[in-house]
Amino acid sequence: MTVIDVRGCDEFSGPLGHIASNIPLIELDCRIAELSGLEQAPIVLICRTDKRSASAARTLRIAGFTQVGVLRRGMEQWNAVGVPVAKDGTDARA
């Protein structure tokens, strides 16, 4: 499974932390080639809540990706339940 954070770079490195690689929604159309080969693989998208990740999911489905999901309530929910995150270059498992 591939997890992609679609928040902007400032949010990605911000106080909510991150758990995935970052392709900001605003760049997704021009960076979709980076996901070549994953058209049939599970992809989960995440943002702060789930609005931008839902938009990114539509974009990927239109581009032919078949197993696209959205982490509901995003990083806000992830932090609310206390699951580890990476911040400022640290590993989320630390």
Side-chain angles (χ1 to χ4, degrees):
M1 173 179 5
T2 300
V3 181
I4 302 168
D5 191 319
V6 297
R7 294 177 293 162
C9 295
D10 57 334
E11 285 183 88
F12 182 76
S13 60
L16 289 177
H18 54 271
I19 60 169
S21 59
N22 183 232
I23 301 178
L25 178 60
I26 195 165
E27 299 175 10
L28 185 59
D29 283 331
C30 62
R31 293 181 61 187
I32 209 156
E34 294 176 33
L35 303 175
S36 179
L38 298 175
E39 292 83 0
Q40 306 301 315
I43 297 175
V44 176
L45 301 163
I46 188 167
C47 63
R48 184 177 59 85
T49 56
D50 59 29
K51 307 301 185 259
R52 285 172 285 180
S53 51
S55 178
R58 283 189 294 278
T59 298
L60 290 181
R61 287 184 190 112
I62 289 168
F65 292 81
T66 60
Q67 295 189 55
V68 181
V70 171
L71 183 64
R72 296 291 174 209
R73 296 187 56 215
M75 288 303 294
E76 286 186 351
Q77 177 66 15
W78 193 270
N79 277 265
V81 297
V83 181
V85 298
K87 294 185 180 186
D88 300 325
T90 62
D91 191 319
R93 295 169 293 201

